[in-house]
Amino acid sequence: MVYITGDTHGDFSRFTSPAARRLKKGDTLIVCGDFGFIWDGGKREAAQLKKIGKLPYTVLFLDGRHENYDLLRDYPVTEWNGGKVQTIEGNLMHLMRGEIYTIEYETYFAFGGGESPDPSLRAGARTWWEEENPTEQEMIAARRRLEEAGNKVDFILTHEPSGKARGYMSGRREPINGVNLFLNTLEDTVDFQRWFFGCLHLDKPMSKRHLAVFREIVPVHEAASKR
């Protein structure tokens, strides 16, 4: 079974929660950005990464606004289930931007990254990296892979929502950034069942096909069956 959750921000208790303990060998848990366990490169962090890599299920994550990209780029890039990944430790892998993976006979398009609203403040504190912003080349490559797949995947996984999904947030004025606008182009051209994203720190269906995830661990098939 494949499960989806939102930003973990380096909080190891997310992997010891009652919901996480229900996952078993052969399952897959996907974190939609802001994984946060690759941050300071310290001994405690290394021990936590080893623990995650030794969990009985596979843990995959997208990058988000709060990752240390200087550390992340040093991990080796390999092929896994049809797309490029960085293997971090054991069963722990980073899903790279614009790749398509086949998991349990279904396809998942992943596109991490985001656009922080406060880069100047965070840059001064050395907690912001320019690499959080997807490049034009990454966007072009992502569109090319989707075109090669016939512009059809089962699930879309992102950190940021599309601008359209942000529009479902009644009562909240959310600024639209360049990543949201790029993701809008996928809304218009890609056939998909369900779209999961983190970033908003909400556990909430935004529409029949868009689901904001945060602390809950959502079975992907159960979510898809609610369409």
mmCIF file of all heavy atoms in Angstrom, residues 192-220:
data_model
loop_
_atom_site.group_PDB
_atom_site.id
_atom_site.type_symbol
_atom_site.label_atom_id
_atom_site.label_comp_id
_atom_site.label_asym_id
_atom_site.label_seq_id
_atom_site.Cartn_x
_atom_site.Cartn_y
_atom_site.Cartn_z
ATOM 1 N N PHE A 192 -4.994 13.037 -14.647
ATOM 2 C CA PHE A 192 -4.564 12.413 -13.396
ATOM 3 C C PHE A 192 -5.774 12.096 -12.532
ATOM 4 O O PHE A 192 -6.852 12.675 -12.693
ATOM 5 C CB PHE A 192 -3.597 13.332 -12.634
ATOM 6 C CG PHE A 192 -4.200 14.649 -12.193
ATOM 7 C CD1 PHE A 192 -4.758 14.794 -10.931
ATOM 8 C CD2 PHE A 192 -4.216 15.749 -13.055
ATOM 9 C CE1 PHE A 192 -5.318 15.999 -10.520
ATOM 10 C CE2 PHE A 192 -4.770 16.956 -12.646
ATOM 11 C CZ PHE A 192 -5.329 17.077 -11.384
ATOM 12 N N GLN A 193 -5.575 11.170 -11.603
ATOM 13 C CA GLN A 193 -6.637 10.793 -10.680
ATOM 14 C C GLN A 193 -6.707 11.729 -9.476
ATOM 15 O O GLN A 193 -7.780 12.192 -9.092
ATOM 16 C CB GLN A 193 -6.425 9.361 -10.164
ATOM 17 C CG GLN A 193 -6.531 8.272 -11.188
ATOM 18 C CD GLN A 193 -6.342 6.906 -10.557
ATOM 19 O OE1 GLN A 193 -6.734 6.662 -9.417
ATOM 20 N NE2 GLN A 193 -5.710 6.009 -11.285
ATOM 21 N N ARG A 194 -5.511 11.988 -8.890
ATOM 22 C CA ARG A 194 -5.484 12.681 -7.606
ATOM 23 C C ARG A 194 -4.171 13.429 -7.472
ATOM 24 O O ARG A 194 -3.130 12.943 -7.923
ATOM 25 C CB ARG A 194 -5.623 11.644 -6.481
ATOM 26 C CG ARG A 194 -5.879 12.195 -5.097
ATOM 27 C CD ARG A 194 -7.293 12.646 -4.897
ATOM 28 N NE ARG A 194 -7.607 12.844 -3.491
ATOM 29 C CZ ARG A 194 -8.720 13.407 -3.052
ATOM 30 N NH1 ARG A 194 -9.644 13.776 -3.893
ATOM 31 N NH2 ARG A 194 -8.934 13.565 -1.759
ATOM 32 N N TRP A 195 -4.220 14.600 -6.866
ATOM 33 C CA TRP A 195 -3.033 15.446 -6.708
ATOM 34 C C TRP A 195 -2.855 15.720 -5.218
ATOM 35 O O TRP A 195 -3.737 16.258 -4.558
ATOM 36 C CB TRP A 195 -3.246 16.753 -7.453
ATOM 37 C CG TRP A 195 -2.070 17.673 -7.549
ATOM 38 C CD1 TRP A 195 -1.106 17.910 -6.609
ATOM 39 C CD2 TRP A 195 -1.758 18.533 -8.653
ATOM 40 N NE1 TRP A 195 -0.211 18.843 -7.043
ATOM 41 C CE2 TRP A 195 -0.589 19.250 -8.304
ATOM 42 C CE3 TRP A 195 -2.345 18.766 -9.892
ATOM 43 C CZ2 TRP A 195 -0.009 20.180 -9.165
ATOM 44 C CZ3 TRP A 195 -1.766 19.684 -10.744
ATOM 45 C CH2 TRP A 195 -0.612 20.386 -10.392
ATOM 46 N N PHE A 196 -1.676 15.345 -4.689
ATOM 47 C CA PHE A 196 -1.335 15.548 -3.277
ATOM 48 C C PHE A 196 -0.252 16.611 -3.162
ATOM 49 O O PHE A 196 0.710 16.605 -3.940
ATOM 50 C CB PHE A 196 -0.808 14.255 -2.648
ATOM 51 C CG PHE A 196 -1.788 13.120 -2.655
ATOM 52 C CD1 PHE A 196 -1.859 12.247 -3.741
ATOM 53 C CD2 PHE A 196 -2.638 12.896 -1.578
ATOM 54 C CE1 PHE A 196 -2.751 11.199 -3.748
ATOM 55 C CE2 PHE A 196 -3.533 11.846 -1.578
ATOM 56 C CZ PHE A 196 -3.593 10.991 -2.665
ATOM 57 N N PHE A 197 -0.354 17.495 -2.176
ATOM 58 C CA PHE A 197 0.682 18.486 -1.959
ATOM 59 C C PHE A 197 0.769 18.833 -0.480
ATOM 60 O O PHE A 197 -0.193 18.704 0.271
ATOM 61 C CB PHE A 197 0.419 19.760 -2.780
ATOM 62 C CG PHE A 197 -0.946 20.355 -2.591
ATOM 63 C CD1 PHE A 197 -1.195 21.258 -1.574
ATOM 64 C CD2 PHE A 197 -1.988 20.002 -3.433
ATOM 65 C CE1 PHE A 197 -2.453 21.807 -1.393
ATOM 66 C CE2 PHE A 197 -3.260 20.543 -3.263
ATOM 67 C CZ PHE A 197 -3.493 21.446 -2.243
ATOM 68 N N GLY A 198 1.976 19.249 -0.042
ATOM 69 C CA GLY A 198 2.189 19.677 1.340
ATOM 70 C C GLY A 198 2.099 21.190 1.422
ATOM 71 O O GLY A 198 1.122 21.783 0.976
ATOM 72 N N CYS A 199 3.091 21.843 1.975
ATOM 73 C CA CYS A 199 3.284 23.293 1.948
ATOM 74 C C CYS A 199 2.275 24.078 2.777
ATOM 75 O O CYS A 199 2.659 24.961 3.547
ATOM 76 C CB CYS A 199 3.271 23.791 0.498
ATOM 77 S SG CYS A 199 3.480 25.565 0.299
ATOM 78 N N LEU A 200 0.982 23.800 2.653
ATOM 79 C CA LEU A 200 -0.035 24.620 3.313
ATOM 80 C C LEU A 200 -0.248 24.245 4.775
ATOM 81 O O LEU A 200 -0.970 24.941 5.492
ATOM 82 C CB LEU A 200 -1.371 24.507 2.565
ATOM 83 C CG LEU A 200 -1.362 24.952 1.105
ATOM 84 C CD1 LEU A 200 -2.768 24.839 0.519
ATOM 85 C CD2 LEU A 200 -0.838 26.376 0.960
ATOM 86 N N HIS A 201 0.350 23.127 5.214
ATOM 87 C CA HIS A 201 0.184 22.661 6.598
ATOM 88 C C HIS A 201 -1.297 22.464 6.941
ATOM 89 O O HIS A 201 -1.775 22.869 7.991
ATOM 90 C CB HIS A 201 0.855 23.614 7.588
ATOM 91 C CG HIS A 201 2.343 23.576 7.536
ATOM 92 N ND1 HIS A 201 3.138 24.178 8.491
ATOM 93 C CD2 HIS A 201 3.196 22.994 6.660
ATOM 94 C CE1 HIS A 201 4.418 23.963 8.179
ATOM 95 N NE2 HIS A 201 4.464 23.255 7.082
ATOM 96 N N LEU A 202 -1.988 21.808 6.022
ATOM 97 C CA LEU A 202 -3.401 21.482 6.200
ATOM 98 C C LEU A 202 -3.631 20.022 5.850
ATOM 99 O O LEU A 202 -2.988 19.490 4.944
ATOM 100 C CB LEU A 202 -4.281 22.333 5.270
ATOM 101 C CG LEU A 202 -4.383 23.830 5.527
ATOM 102 C CD1 LEU A 202 -5.151 24.481 4.372
ATOM 103 C CD2 LEU A 202 -5.074 24.113 6.848
ATOM 104 N N ASP A 203 -4.539 19.380 6.560
ATOM 105 C CA ASP A 203 -5.038 18.068 6.162
ATOM 106 C C ASP A 203 -6.464 18.293 5.686
ATOM 107 O O ASP A 203 -7.413 18.314 6.483
ATOM 108 C CB ASP A 203 -5.015 17.094 7.344
ATOM 109 C CG ASP A 203 -3.602 16.680 7.715
ATOM 110 O OD1 ASP A 203 -2.952 16.020 6.880
ATOM 111 O OD2 ASP A 203 -3.151 17.013 8.815
ATOM 112 N N LYS A 204 -6.606 18.508 4.374
ATOM 113 C CA LYS A 204 -7.912 18.937 3.881
ATOM 114 C C LYS A 204 -8.079 18.638 2.396
ATOM 115 O O LYS A 204 -7.213 19.003 1.599
ATOM 116 C CB LYS A 204 -8.076 20.438 4.118
ATOM 117 C CG LYS A 204 -9.409 21.002 3.686
ATOM 118 C CD LYS A 204 -9.466 22.495 3.966
ATOM 119 C CE LYS A 204 -10.809 23.081 3.527
ATOM 120 N NZ LYS A 204 -10.888 24.539 3.792
ATOM 121 N N PRO A 205 -9.190 18.008 2.006
ATOM 122 C CA PRO A 205 -9.482 17.906 0.574
ATOM 123 C C PRO A 205 -9.823 19.305 0.049
ATOM 124 O O PRO A 205 -10.714 19.972 0.581
ATOM 125 C CB PRO A 205 -10.703 16.979 0.515
ATOM 126 C CG PRO A 205 -10.790 16.333 1.850
ATOM 127 C CD PRO A 205 -10.193 17.298 2.824
ATOM 128 N N MET A 206 -9.128 19.749 -0.974
ATOM 129 C CA MET A 206 -9.384 21.068 -1.543
ATOM 130 C C MET A 206 -10.401 20.986 -2.676
ATOM 131 O O MET A 206 -11.004 21.991 -3.049
ATOM 132 C CB MET A 206 -8.081 21.678 -2.056
ATOM 133 C CG MET A 206 -6.951 21.680 -1.026
ATOM 134 S SD MET A 206 -7.366 22.552 0.500
ATOM 135 C CE MET A 206 -7.295 24.239 -0.049
ATOM 136 N N SER A 207 -10.535 19.803 -3.252
ATOM 137 C CA SER A 207 -11.520 19.528 -4.294
ATOM 138 C C SER A 207 -11.642 18.015 -4.369
ATOM 139 O O SER A 207 -11.058 17.285 -3.560
ATOM 140 C CB SER A 207 -11.074 20.104 -5.639
ATOM 141 O OG SER A 207 -10.056 19.307 -6.218
ATOM 142 N N LYS A 208 -12.365 17.507 -5.345
ATOM 143 C CA LYS A 208 -12.489 16.060 -5.496
ATOM 144 C C LYS A 208 -11.161 15.411 -5.884
ATOM 145 O O LYS A 208 -10.974 14.218 -5.654
ATOM 146 C CB LYS A 208 -13.552 15.735 -6.542
ATOM 147 C CG LYS A 208 -14.960 16.074 -6.098
ATOM 148 C CD LYS A 208 -15.971 15.671 -7.152
ATOM 149 C CE LYS A 208 -17.384 15.962 -6.671
ATOM 150 N NZ LYS A 208 -18.399 15.585 -7.688
ATOM 151 N N ARG A 209 -10.252 16.215 -6.462
ATOM 152 C CA ARG A 209 -8.990 15.633 -6.926
ATOM 153 C C ARG A 209 -7.755 16.231 -6.269
ATOM 154 O O ARG A 209 -6.651 15.757 -6.526
ATOM 155 C CB ARG A 209 -8.872 15.791 -8.451
ATOM 156 C CG ARG A 209 -9.931 15.054 -9.234
ATOM 157 C CD ARG A 209 -9.494 14.816 -10.661
ATOM 158 N NE ARG A 209 -9.213 16.058 -11.373
ATOM 159 C CZ ARG A 209 -8.591 16.116 -12.559
ATOM 160 N NH1 ARG A 209 -8.173 15.004 -13.135
ATOM 161 N NH2 ARG A 209 -8.383 17.271 -13.146
ATOM 162 N N HIS A 210 -7.907 17.245 -5.455
ATOM 163 C CA HIS A 210 -6.753 17.919 -4.839
ATOM 164 C C HIS A 210 -6.807 17.740 -3.328
ATOM 165 O O HIS A 210 -7.798 18.101 -2.697
ATOM 166 C CB HIS A 210 -6.761 19.411 -5.162
ATOM 167 C CG HIS A 210 -6.694 19.712 -6.620
ATOM 168 N ND1 HIS A 210 -7.806 19.664 -7.456
ATOM 169 C CD2 HIS A 210 -5.647 20.083 -7.410
ATOM 170 C CE1 HIS A 210 -7.436 19.990 -8.677
ATOM 171 N NE2 HIS A 210 -6.142 20.245 -8.676
ATOM 172 N N LEU A 211 -5.727 17.206 -2.766
ATOM 173 C CA LEU A 211 -5.694 16.957 -1.331
ATOM 174 C C LEU A 211 -4.456 17.582 -0.700
ATOM 175 O O LEU A 211 -3.329 17.242 -1.058
ATOM 176 C CB LEU A 211 -5.698 15.457 -1.043
ATOM 177 C CG LEU A 211 -5.811 15.086 0.434
ATOM 178 C CD1 LEU A 211 -7.178 15.482 0.987
ATOM 179 C CD2 LEU A 211 -5.594 13.593 0.639
ATOM 180 N N ALA A 212 -4.679 18.518 0.216
ATOM 181 C CA ALA A 212 -3.586 19.067 1.019
ATOM 182 C C ALA A 212 -3.304 18.097 2.156
ATOM 183 O O ALA A 212 -4.222 17.656 2.852
ATOM 184 C CB ALA A 212 -3.979 20.436 1.573
ATOM 185 N N VAL A 213 -2.035 17.745 2.339
ATOM 186 C CA VAL A 213 -1.652 16.795 3.377
ATOM 187 C C VAL A 213 -0.661 17.454 4.319
ATOM 188 O O VAL A 213 0.147 18.290 3.923
ATOM 189 C CB VAL A 213 -1.041 15.501 2.776
ATOM 190 C CG1 VAL A 213 -2.092 14.671 2.070
ATOM 191 C CG2 VAL A 213 0.107 15.823 1.821
ATOM 192 N N PHE A 214 -0.739 17.041 5.585
ATOM 193 C CA PHE A 214 0.215 17.551 6.576
ATOM 194 C C PHE A 214 0.549 16.439 7.564
ATOM 195 O O PHE A 214 1.435 15.627 7.325
ATOM 196 C CB PHE A 214 -0.343 18.792 7.262
ATOM 197 C CG PHE A 214 0.616 19.431 8.239
ATOM 198 C CD1 PHE A 214 1.986 19.383 8.048
ATOM 199 C CD2 PHE A 214 0.136 20.099 9.350
ATOM 200 C CE1 PHE A 214 2.871 19.979 8.948
ATOM 201 C CE2 PHE A 214 1.008 20.704 10.261
ATOM 202 C CZ PHE A 214 2.364 20.639 10.062
ATOM 203 N N ARG A 215 -0.165 16.342 8.670
ATOM 204 C CA ARG A 215 0.179 15.372 9.701
ATOM 205 C C ARG A 215 -0.472 14.003 9.481
ATOM 206 O O ARG A 215 0.052 12.990 9.945
ATOM 207 C CB ARG A 215 -0.210 15.910 11.082
ATOM 208 C CG ARG A 215 0.636 17.111 11.495
ATOM 209 C CD ARG A 215 0.423 17.471 12.943
ATOM 210 N NE ARG A 215 1.293 18.566 13.346
ATOM 211 C CZ ARG A 215 2.561 18.415 13.706
ATOM 212 N NH1 ARG A 215 3.100 17.216 13.727
ATOM 213 N NH2 ARG A 215 3.285 19.462 14.048
ATOM 214 N N GLU A 216 -1.589 13.972 8.817
ATOM 215 C CA GLU A 216 -2.249 12.698 8.588
ATOM 216 C C GLU A 216 -1.450 11.846 7.604
ATOM 217 O O GLU A 216 -0.691 12.366 6.785
ATOM 218 C CB GLU A 216 -3.663 12.916 8.064
ATOM 219 C CG GLU A 216 -4.598 13.547 9.077
ATOM 220 C CD GLU A 216 -6.006 13.714 8.545
ATOM 221 O OE1 GLU A 216 -6.282 13.246 7.412
ATOM 222 O OE2 GLU A 216 -6.827 14.316 9.249
ATOM 223 N N ILE A 217 -1.619 10.538 7.709
ATOM 224 C CA ILE A 217 -1.016 9.591 6.768
ATOM 225 C C ILE A 217 -2.171 8.977 5.980
ATOM 226 O O ILE A 217 -2.994 8.253 6.535
ATOM 227 C CB ILE A 217 -0.185 8.525 7.495
ATOM 228 C CG1 ILE A 217 1.039 9.191 8.143
ATOM 229 C CG2 ILE A 217 0.247 7.428 6.536
ATOM 230 C CD1 ILE A 217 1.925 8.241 8.931
ATOM 231 N N VAL A 218 -2.239 9.316 4.703
ATOM 232 C CA VAL A 218 -3.406 9.016 3.890
ATOM 233 C C VAL A 218 -3.115 7.851 2.945
ATOM 234 O O VAL A 218 -2.164 7.924 2.153
ATOM 235 C CB VAL A 218 -3.803 10.253 3.058
ATOM 236 C CG1 VAL A 218 -5.023 9.957 2.209
ATOM 237 C CG2 VAL A 218 -4.038 11.454 3.954
ATOM 238 N N PRO A 219 -3.905 6.789 2.981
ATOM 239 C CA PRO A 219 -3.742 5.717 1.988
ATOM 240 C C PRO A 219 -4.161 6.246 0.615
ATOM 241 O O PRO A 219 -5.270 6.765 0.458
ATOM 242 C CB PRO A 219 -4.682 4.616 2.473
ATOM 243 C CG PRO A 219 -5.106 5.006 3.833
ATOM 244 C CD PRO A 219 -4.981 6.495 3.926
ATOM 245 N N VAL A 220 -3.291 6.142 -0.360
ATOM 246 C CA VAL A 220 -3.559 6.772 -1.640
ATOM 247 C C VAL A 220 -4.793 6.189 -2.303
ATOM 248 O O VAL A 220 -5.589 6.916 -2.917
ATOM 249 C CB VAL A 220 -2.323 6.662 -2.558
ATOM 250 C CG1 VAL A 220 -2.019 5.239 -2.959
ATOM 251 C CG2 VAL A 220 -2.509 7.530 -3.797
#
